[in-house]
Amino acid sequence: MNRATSLIRRVRLLAHVDPTLVANYLPIFAPAWTPAPPLTCHHVRFLATKQGKGPGKVQKVKPKQDKQEVEIKQKMTVSALAQAMNKDFDHIFEALLNTSVDLDSLEPHSVLEEQWIKEVVKRSGMKYKWAKLVESKERENKDTQRRAPPDPAVLVSRPPVVTIMGHVDHGKTTLLDSLRKSQVAAGEAGGITQHIGAFLVQLPSGEKITFLDTPGHAAFSAMRARGALATDIVILVVAADDGVMKQTIESILHAKKAQVPIIVAVNKCDKHQADPARVKQELLSQDVVCEEYGGEVQAIHVSALKGDNLLELAEATVTLAEVMELKGDPTGLVEGTIIESRSDKGKGPVTTAIVQRGTLKKGCTLVAGKTWAKVRFLFDENNCTVKEAGPSTAVEIVGWKELPSAGEEILEVESERRAREVVDWRCYQEEQDKLKEDMQAIEVKQREHQESYKKEREPLAHLSWRQRKSALYKANKKLMAMRPSEKLESQELSLPLIVKGDVDGSVEAILNILEGYDAHHQCQMEVVHFGIGDISENDLNLAETFSGTIYGFNVGVNKSIQQMATKKGIILKMHKVIYKLIDDLKDELSSKLPPSVKENVIGEASVLAMFDVTVGKKKVPVAGCRVQKGQLDRKMKFRLVRGRDVIWEGSLTALKHHKDDVQMVKTGMECGLSVAQDIEFRPGDEIECYEETETRQTISWDPGF
């Protein structure tokens, strides 16, 4: 009835609009009803409904929410996908749980396959769309190159660039001091040269020679190679009392590789043990044939300390230079080589360079590696300003935007704008090369992962989908339950390092030594940062973050930094001699290692019989023994050996001789001993008394000196 009444009301309402509807439908429900006359004004009644689940009630439909669209593309990295989704790395990790992706190897720079990119987007409640392909035009090469060979008409004579090379402590720097009447060796830390020094020496006859003094220590091999490549003549210094040594042979190899002629300076001929003839014979085995043996190599007997025959050595050098007819082009854009680079407090980034072509002046715009300079000042070896530097001149250059690396090629460009273009291009080219290397490494890793994934799935191939999923879940339960941020810290020993040096070459030498570290199985060593200049607050922050140690080589540290380091508990280790720095580093690595425990057996006894002793109300089993060797000391540890098996290890609760408690029992004496544990002794068992001594382990790394 309620439903019929409701329909009648609806029909009555419609009667105001169309009376014909009443004639058609109303007789069904109320045949006796007649329509009322139409009203003069039309009223429209809106039927109200309530929300609910009951019959006849209408529910509001929520508008459909649009899913977030994510632009994807091929070979997206995890960080790129997270950025496109506006999520963090952990979200990507969670979305890939219960998949075949190797979550342990997942890093922000890891490249994801297309199926996993789509899977992450779907599981995140989003939808994906492919990014539009943008045609990238090939970037124009903006690099600068050396100029074409010069016109012989513009060439002029230039001083020879001579590099003094040889073994450490054979007198290279002392020889140079005598030539230029200075005292460099006295100022060198530990009496050894640790930088490449460049000097212009003018002889009494008026000739000029540019000398390069390279370090002879084993750590500075790269510096010697740079010196040989930037030189015209090599003076090989060999001590007459020491002969040909390891770095002497290395210097010969550098000179031959650079195809540079050699002059042998047999030094320390004033000593009683001097034997110049033996030196020349030893050089024969290295294919260095002196004139006395029919060769072309000049050998001059000198004493750098007393100054004997130095003029003869200089004349031999000038004569060889005249034979070589060394010419240089003083015109056009400058070309040169960086010998050394350092950071100076007052001057900023400073480089020592050899000008090979052109004339370097104040205001020139130079490019070296991935940095450039507007030359502000030029200094000679005496720290005096010079206006210009021609071919074969060694000069310090001030005005670099950043510190270039030693060994870089210097090229002059027309303007600062051109310099920026060259640097931008070189940075771009380096990024592209690195990207190619990374992609190759990623592809190799993906192939390895796919192969391991297939091998892992092969034993489960016969199972159903649900069985396989259950088996994989059980196998990876620990992995799934542990997020990267919750993983336990590695228990491996490690030593993070921050290395600071005074010049680029010193840092390079230290890093080359550290690259040869081969004791990672004992203690991990990692260089987290390296740089040039004094210890800074940023270095302390890095050391605090990584719990590392700062090693400084020929650098300073002010009081405020020292106080800050002490407050933070950061270790600063400052050195002026490279081999002392490496020795200190080896000691610190050794201190990280746990002490090795060594057992020393001090006594042996054999069990003769077993008997029980009543102590209070308790019976205690006692082993009757005779000491066969050494002595038994109650303070030490004991071991019960039966045949070849160790039955028990621990300490004694009682040691008696007859009825007396004793501390020690010696060879040939009988005794009774008991232990706290319930151990069954048998006649014929062996009792060993031993002590444990801890000895400090030493790192197995051998840096080679």
Side-chain angles (χ1 to χ4, degrees), residues 470-508:
S470 176
L472 288 172
Y473 175 76
K474 289 178 182 178
N476 299 325
K477 187 175 180 180
K478 292 183 180 179
L479 175 65
M480 295 176 186
M482 198 183 303
R483 296 175 64 175
S485 57
E486 297 168 352
K487 289 184 179 178
L488 297 174
E489 292 184 3
S490 173
Q491 298 299 317
E492 291 182 352
L493 300 173
S494 64
L495 177 62
L497 299 179
I498 290 94
V499 178
K500 296 297 289 290
D502 54 346
V503 296
D504 185 68
S506 300
V507 176
E508 178 189 19

Side-chain angles (χ1 to χ4, degrees), residues 266-334:
V266 184
N267 194 21
K268 301 184 181 182
C269 288
D270 55 315
K271 287 193 172 184
H272 296 294
Q273 304 91 344
D275 188 358
R278 180 173 67 90
V279 171
K280 296 173 187 177
Q281 289 175 354
E282 290 177 353
L283 289 172
L284 285 173
S285 62
Q286 304 300 323
D287 293 332
V288 178
V289 185
C290 299
E291 291 177 337
E292 289 87 338
Y293 295 96
E296 298 180 354
V297 177
Q298 301 179 76
I300 313 298
H301 299 182
V302 299
S303 172
L305 195 62
K306 294 185 176 181
D308 297 342
N309 288 342
L310 294 186
L311 186 59
E312 184 180 348
L313 177 64
E315 289 176 351
T317 305
V318 172
T319 302
L320 182 58
E322 289 176 355
V323 172
M324 296 173 68
E325 296 183 350
L326 300 174
K327 303 285 185 180
D329 177 11
T331 63
L333 299 177
V334 174

Side-chain angles (χ1 to χ4, degrees), residues 384-681:
C384 298
T385 57
V386 293
K387 293 183 178 179
E388 61 181 35
S392 297
T393 305
V395 66
E396 279 193 352
I397 303 171
V398 178
W400 294 97
K401 302 302 177 184
E402 295 178 7
L403 195 65
S405 299
E408 293 282 5
E409 181 182 62
I410 293 177
L411 296 175
E412 184 183 1
V413 292
E414 299 82 6
S415 63
E416 294 183 22
R417 179 181 177 183
R418 178 76 180 106
R420 292 191 186 94
E421 285 180 353
V422 173
V423 171
D424 288 344
W425 165 258
R426 291 181 177 180
C427 292
Y428 167 77
Q429 195 66 31
E430 186 182 47
E431 289 175 1
Q432 294 302 308
D433 294 341
K434 190 175 184 304
L435 184 61
K436 289 179 182 177
E437 291 177 5
D438 291 345
M439 290 305 299
Q440 290 174 355
I442 288 167
E443 287 174 1
V444 170
K445 195 169 185 180
Q446 283 180 340
R447 283 197 299 269
E448 291 175 354
H449 174 61
Q450 287 295 331
E451 290 173 1
S452 63
Y453 176 69
K454 288 178 181 178
K455 289 180 181 178
E456 191 179 311
R457 289 297 183 114
E458 280 177 3
L460 308 175
H462 64 284
L463 300 176
S464 65
W465 178 82
R466 290 186 180 278
Q467 291 173 331
R468 188 161 55 247
K469 184 177 180 182
S470 176
L472 288 172
Y473 175 76
K474 289 178 182 178
N476 299 325
K477 187 175 180 180
K478 292 183 180 179
L479 175 65
M480 295 176 186
M482 198 183 303
R483 296 175 64 175
S485 57
E486 297 168 352
K487 289 184 179 178
L488 297 174
E489 292 184 3
S490 173
Q491 298 299 317
E492 291 182 352
L493 300 173
S494 64
L495 177 62
L497 299 179
I498 290 94
V499 178
K500 296 297 289 290
D502 54 346
V503 296
D504 185 68
S506 300
V507 176
E508 178 189 19
I510 295 170
L511 294 179
N512 286 341
I513 296 170
L514 299 184
E515 280 181 5
Y517 182 72
D518 56 359
H520 293 287
H521 60 284
Q522 291 181 290
C523 180
Q524 293 284 338
M525 183 179 69
E526 182 182 6
V527 180
V528 297
H529 175 69
F530 61 88
I532 300 167
D534 292 344
I535 308 299
S536 65
E537 187 176 347
N538 181 50
D539 300 325
L540 296 185
N541 294 335
L542 283 169
E544 184 181 22
T545 302
F546 292 95
S547 301
T549 304
I550 299 176
Y551 278 82
F553 181 73
N554 275 335
V555 295
V557 52
N558 58 45
K559 287 186 178 180
S560 62
I561 296 295
Q562 285 180 338
Q563 292 171 355
M564 193 181 301
T566 304
K567 187 177 179 181
K568 293 183 176 183
I570 297 168
I571 301 173
L572 299 178
K573 299 202 172 185
M574 318 303 290
H575 292 276
K576 292 185 178 296
V577 181
I578 194 166
Y579 62 80
K580 290 184 178 179
L581 183 148
I582 300 301
D583 288 343
D584 193 357
L585 177 58
K586 287 176 65 178
D587 289 340
E588 185 172 4
L589 287 165
S590 299
S591 68
K592 292 274 185 181
L593 304 178
S596 60
V597 179
K598 185 179 179 180
E599 289 185 2
N600 181 26
V601 178
I602 61 174
E604 295 178 0
S606 58
V607 178
L608 302 178
M610 288 293 301
F611 53 91
D612 294 332
V613 175
T614 303
V615 180
K617 296 181 179 180
K618 186 178 179 183
K619 289 187 177 182
V620 178
V622 176
C625 306
R626 179 181 286 115
V627 182
Q628 304 291 347
K629 183 180 178 182
Q631 60 188 20
L632 303 186
D633 190 340
R634 185 177 172 181
K635 292 181 180 179
M636 300 300 171
K637 291 187 177 182
F638 287 79
R639 180 187 295 121
L640 173 63
V641 181
R642 184 172 298 153
R644 296 184 178 181
D645 300 327
V646 177
I647 306 300
W648 165 84
E649 284 184 335
S651 301
L652 301 181
T653 56
L655 179 64
K656 293 191 175 187
H657 179 60
H658 300 303
K659 293 184 179 180
D660 301 326
D661 287 321
V662 293
Q663 184 67 38
M664 187 180 298
V665 183
K666 296 183 179 181
T667 305
M669 297 175 64
E670 293 183 351
C671 63
L673 55 86
S674 60
V675 298
Q677 291 91 336
D678 187 12
I679 301 297
E680 180 186 356
F681 292 92

Side-chain angles (χ1 to χ4, degrees), residues 185-347:
E188 292 286 358
I192 63 171
T193 301
Q194 303 184 112
H195 310 116
I196 292 180
F199 315 99
L200 182 67
V201 175
Q202 186 166 2
L203 303 178
S205 57
E207 288 90 352
K208 294 180 179 180
I209 304 174
T210 298
F211 282 103
L212 302 182
D213 180 21
T214 64
H217 196 269
F220 297 96
S221 176
M223 285 191 180
R224 286 192 291 278
R226 268 203 306 277
L229 292 172
T231 191
D232 300 313
I233 301 170
V234 167
I235 293 181
L236 184 66
V237 179
V238 187
D241 61 337
D242 210 0
V244 175
M245 304 295 286
K246 185 176 179 180
Q247 273 72 58
T248 311
I249 297 171
E250 187 185 308
S251 300
I252 293 170
L253 294 176
H254 286 317
K256 288 182 177 179
K257 185 177 179 181
Q259 297 181 348
V260 177
I262 296 174
I263 296 176
V264 177
V266 184
N267 194 21
K268 301 184 181 182
C269 288
D270 55 315
K271 287 193 172 184
H272 296 294
Q273 304 91 344
D275 188 358
R278 180 173 67 90
V279 171
K280 296 173 187 177
Q281 289 175 354
E282 290 177 353
L283 289 172
L284 285 173
S285 62
Q286 304 300 323
D287 293 332
V288 178
V289 185
C290 299
E291 291 177 337
E292 289 87 338
Y293 295 96
E296 298 180 354
V297 177
Q298 301 179 76
I300 313 298
H301 299 182
V302 299
S303 172
L305 195 62
K306 294 185 176 181
D308 297 342
N309 288 342
L310 294 186
L311 186 59
E312 184 180 348
L313 177 64
E315 289 176 351
T317 305
V318 172
T319 302
L320 182 58
E322 289 176 355
V323 172
M324 296 173 68
E325 296 183 350
L326 300 174
K327 303 285 185 180
D329 177 11
T331 63
L333 299 177
V334 174
E335 296 175 6
T337 301
I338 295 177
I339 299 298
E340 196 52 87
S341 59
R342 61 186 172 87
S343 183
D344 189 275
K345 283 184 178 178
K347 301 175 184 177

